[in-house]
Amino acid sequence: MTDEGMTDGDEDIDRQDIRLAVVMNGGVSLAVWIGGVAVELHHLAMARRWAEPVYRPLLDLLHADARVDVIAGTSAGGLNGAFLALGLAVSGTSRPSATCGGTRARWGRCSGTRSAAIRRRC
């Protein structure tokens, strides 16, 4: 029982939903930055499942849950949106390194223009 006379199960009933719609632009250099934003949105949406150290306390303070309902994008932003959607769909209880966390590493590898060998690896 909490100090307000409610059980822990009752607290989840009163949580508000923060529902997000995301549109991501194209352009490779911008898409690298947006890839980081996609990872953070993924962490926010998974915070309650993972006991995420940054977003979970914030959501608990707001007595809320967050989720991404709509994802759209163009060009490289569309790829980031697809990676975000895939990460949200397959996350379950997995940590981000197994799902959406690879987005940042992939864009880091693919964004280099130093040699043709780097571009071929992507």
Side-chain angles (χ1 to χ4, degrees), residues 36-87:
V37 173
V39 170
E40 293 304 316
L41 286 170
H42 186 253
H43 286 218
L44 175 64
M46 295 290 112
R48 295 264 304 149
R49 290 190 209 174
W50 293 341
E52 214 277 337
V54 175
Y55 297 112
R56 176 122 189 214
L58 176 63
L59 290 173
D60 286 344
L61 180 66
L62 297 172
H63 207 62
D65 289 320
R67 66 184 195 196
V68 181
D69 286 334
V70 178
I71 302 169
T74 60
S75 188
L79 291 174
N80 278 330
F83 290 144
L84 174 58
L86 178 64

Side-chain angles (χ1 to χ4, degrees), residues 2-64:
T2 64
D3 56 352
E4 297 163 354
M6 295 174 27
T7 65
D8 289 337
D10 292 337
E11 289 181 18
D12 286 339
I13 293 172
D14 293 335
R15 293 186 80 84
Q16 63 180 331
D17 280 334
I18 299 172
R19 301 173 76 177
L20 304 168
V22 181
V23 178
M24 299 181 182
N25 293 347
V28 175
S29 60
L30 180 62
V32 173
W33 180 83
I34 291 175
V37 173
V39 170
E40 293 304 316
L41 286 170
H42 186 253
H43 286 218
L44 175 64
M46 295 290 112
R48 295 264 304 149
R49 290 190 209 174
W50 293 341
E52 214 277 337
V54 175
Y55 297 112
R56 176 122 189 214
L58 176 63
L59 290 173
D60 286 344
L61 180 66
L62 297 172
H63 207 62

